Amino acid sequence: MPFNFRKFVKFIYISLFKSKGTNYRLTPKRIGWLMLLLTLFPLLELVTWFGFLLDDIFFREYRQERIEQPFFIIGNPRSGTTFLHRLLAKDEETFTSMQMWEILFAPSVTQRKIVQALAALDRWLGSPMRRLVAKLEQWWQGWNTMHKMALRVPEEDQYVLVHIWSTLVIWTTSAILEEAGPYTYFDAAMPEAEKERILSFYEGCIKRHLYAHSGGRKPAKHYLSKNPSASPKVDALYEYFPDAKIIYLARNPLDVIPSYISLTDSEWRILGDPVEEYGCRDYVLDMARHWYTYPLERLEQVPQASYIVVKLDELASDAERAVADIYARFGLDISPAFAKVLREEAEKARDHQSRHEYSLEEMGLTRERIVADYKDVFERFDFDTRDEG
């Protein structure tokens, strides 16, 4: 079975018996979250794995789905991957992506059939559940200013790996960074047997998604994924998806580093009471260094037709041109319908102002240190060092 029971038990053991004096120490808030996890997660997984079992009985044809030229958007966190993902996902003739509700609550074909039936019933009743979900999402969006999430929008499909307890997000959000190494340096540090277990499950989830979305209508041509955590998996992606297309997004380290530190710190404070303020700083500095360099080193060894590097500032200032370049690189056509959507979204992007604020000084960082530590990145992409002198 793909589920990593050993790591799940280790997570619980570390949380309960090895957390004293750490950033994931046991406080009432932390205990509350752990109790919620131990109550709801097993129930969710019983339903999910029963759904997988029924798939192999009633929808076994999903195994025959061909994943042709899947697209993977990678890069450091806070590099604009979400913006590009949701922008390209609007081209529904070309791309299909997993939405959050599919990733977390319905990765199996069976679960999706049930949810679709319940949604039809809800519409017949006047859509009370849909309105309730919309209100909850509106509240969440107003509170969460850093990463907009909703059940019915495309999201990082790395979360589907929560169903086998085998993804980086488990360890980074919980502050148990000592277990994050193999996922942070996936190609180099993850044992081969673990790579096969994780990627085989992931491949199966994509096939289920394609099968669930192909019935009764013309399917999209390409599966589209966005995962910063796939940045250290370039070799693994090409091994399992030889005709994959990779889009690497690059953003100035002076924005990426403090933004991701701030995001991770806020997650830690939601889920607990860390001892150290911005205790993820050193991890983020090391992780970002690898994710800036390793993917590009590997991509330079594959045909240019299989990848493209895009700078966020160019995407934000002229999304139409950036997307046109992406489509041209991979031989895709922009339909008139998507061209209209693209034009509208490009206007919004130019007017967008981030509400996410942070201070380098509070994080124990300086502009000079980031520029020095990532000197090669600044030179490679000609990023502004913001030297006022």
Side-chain angles (χ1 to χ4, degrees):
M1 185 176 181
F3 190 88
N4 197 331
F5 285 100
R6 184 178 66 84
K7 283 292 185 181
F8 182 70
V9 171
K10 187 172 186 179
F11 175 88
I12 301 302
Y13 174 76
I14 291 174
S15 298
L16 294 178
F17 303 109
K18 297 291 184 179
S19 62
K20 185 176 181 180
T22 70
N23 287 313
Y24 49 91
R25 56 183 174 160
L26 278 181
T27 62
K29 184 194 296 185
R30 187 76 173 192
I31 292 172
W33 280 110
L34 284 172
M35 293 303 101
L36 191 64
L37 171 70
L38 291 174
T39 301
L40 297 182
F41 185 71
L43 294 176
L44 173 63
E45 293 313 301
L46 282 174
V47 173
T48 297
W49 285 94
F50 186 58
F52 287 150
L53 175 62
L54 293 180
D55 282 356
D56 288 330
I57 298 174
F58 298 108
F59 306 108
R60 64 184 67 179
E61 296 87 357
Y62 83 84
R63 300 174 183 171
Q64 308 307 317
E65 285 288 332
R66 296 182 60 187
I67 307 173
E68 298 182 350
Q69 295 187 357
F71 279 63
F72 298 96
I73 301 172
I74 66 173
N76 268 291
R78 315 302 296 166
S79 291
T81 53
T82 296
F83 169 67
L84 181 59
H85 181 209
R86 293 178 183 174
L87 178 59
L88 296 184
K90 293 180 183 294
D91 183 0
E92 296 181 355
E93 294 180 12
T94 303
F95 297 114
T96 178
S97 292
M98 292 188 201
Q99 297 183 357
M100 181 60 89
W101 73 270
E102 296 173 309
I103 294 169
L104 292 183
F105 304 114
S108 72
V109 178
T110 301
Q111 287 169 294
R112 296 188 191 188
K113 297 289 185 183
I114 294 172
V115 170
Q116 289 164 1
L118 292 175
L121 175 62
D122 182 58
R123 288 193 296 271
W124 183 77
L125 294 173
S127 302
M129 286 303 300
R130 185 181 182 90
R131 290 196 297 271
L132 175 60
V133 169
K135 288 182 179 179
L136 291 173
E137 288 182 344
Q138 185 178 14
W139 168 81
W140 169 256
Q141 302 290 18
W143 179 76
N144 174 28
T145 63
M146 287 179 278
H147 179 69
K148 300 294 185 181
M149 299 175 69
L151 290 175
R152 293 166 293 171
V153 299
E155 193 47 77
E156 294 184 27
D157 62 7
Q158 73 148 320
Y159 296 121
V160 80
L161 299 176
V162 169
H163 297 295
I164 56 171
W165 207 254
S166 300
T167 179
L168 177 63
V169 70
I170 292 170
W171 307 105
T172 54
T173 57
S174 65
I176 308 178
L177 296 180
E178 59 267 32
E179 294 293 324
Y183 300 96
T184 307
Y185 304 91
F186 192 91
D187 281 342
M190 187 66 70
E192 290 301 319
E194 283 292 280
K195 290 181 186 178
E196 181 177 357
R197 180 182 63 82
I198 294 169
L199 270 296
S200 294
F201 176 78
Y202 179 58
E203 180 184 32
C205 288
I206 296 177
K207 287 185 175 183
R208 285 182 167 92
H209 174 81
L210 295 175
Y211 178 83
H213 281 257
S214 65
R217 58 185 181 276
K218 182 180 178 181
K221 298 176 183 177
H222 305 284
Y223 179 74
L224 176 66
S225 164
K226 164 257 177 177
N227 276 318
S229 65
S231 298
K233 297 179 181 178
V234 172
D235 281 354
L237 289 177
Y238 278 127
E239 179 180 354
Y240 273 79
F241 311 101
D243 59 350
K245 307 299 183 184
I246 292 180
I247 305 170
Y248 181 89
L249 263 175
R251 187 186 186 189
N252 194 316
L254 286 170
D255 296 315
V256 167
I257 302 302
S259 182
Y260 189 49
I261 290 174
S262 179
L263 175 61
T264 304
D265 186 73
S266 69
E267 291 172 341
W268 288 10
R269 295 186 183 284
I270 290 171
L271 299 177
D273 301 281
V275 173
E276 182 184 359
E277 188 174 20
Y278 301 115
C280 61
R281 181 188 60 239
D282 291 341
Y283 168 78
V284 169
L285 289 169
D286 290 340
M287 177 218 72
R289 156 59 56 190
H290 185 62
W291 291 12
Y292 267 122
T293 55
Y294 173 77
L296 295 174
E297 290 173 355
R298 304 307 297 157
L299 290 174
E300 287 173 351
Q301 300 179 33
V302 302
Q304 286 191 351
S306 66
Y307 77 95
I308 189 171
V309 178
V310 179
K311 291 172 63 174
L312 176 60
D313 53 358
E314 295 175 355
L315 175 64
S317 63
D318 193 346
E320 283 187 273
R321 179 169 182 174
V323 171
D325 289 343
I326 292 171
Y327 274 54
R329 170 63 64 89
F330 300 127
L332 302 177
D333 296 321
I334 297 178
S335 68
F338 181 55
K340 180 180 178 181
V341 171
L342 181 57
R343 192 172 304 112
E344 294 171 352
E345 294 299 321
E347 288 294 331
K348 294 178 185 177
R350 280 191 284 267
D351 296 335
H352 175 72
Q353 295 292 329
S354 175
R355 294 165 57 193
H356 188 193
E357 300 179 356
Y358 38 75
S359 166
L360 286 176
E361 185 178 353
E362 289 180 2
M363 296 176 184
L365 292 171
T366 62
R367 181 197 65 82
E368 290 78 11
R369 177 181 175 182
I370 293 177
V371 171
D373 287 354
Y374 297 88
K375 183 174 183 292
D376 56 328
V377 177
F378 280 93
E379 292 176 349
R380 177 175 191 144
F381 292 103
D382 193 28
F383 284 136
D384 183 4
T385 61
R386 301 171 190 172
D387 185 357
E388 298 178 357

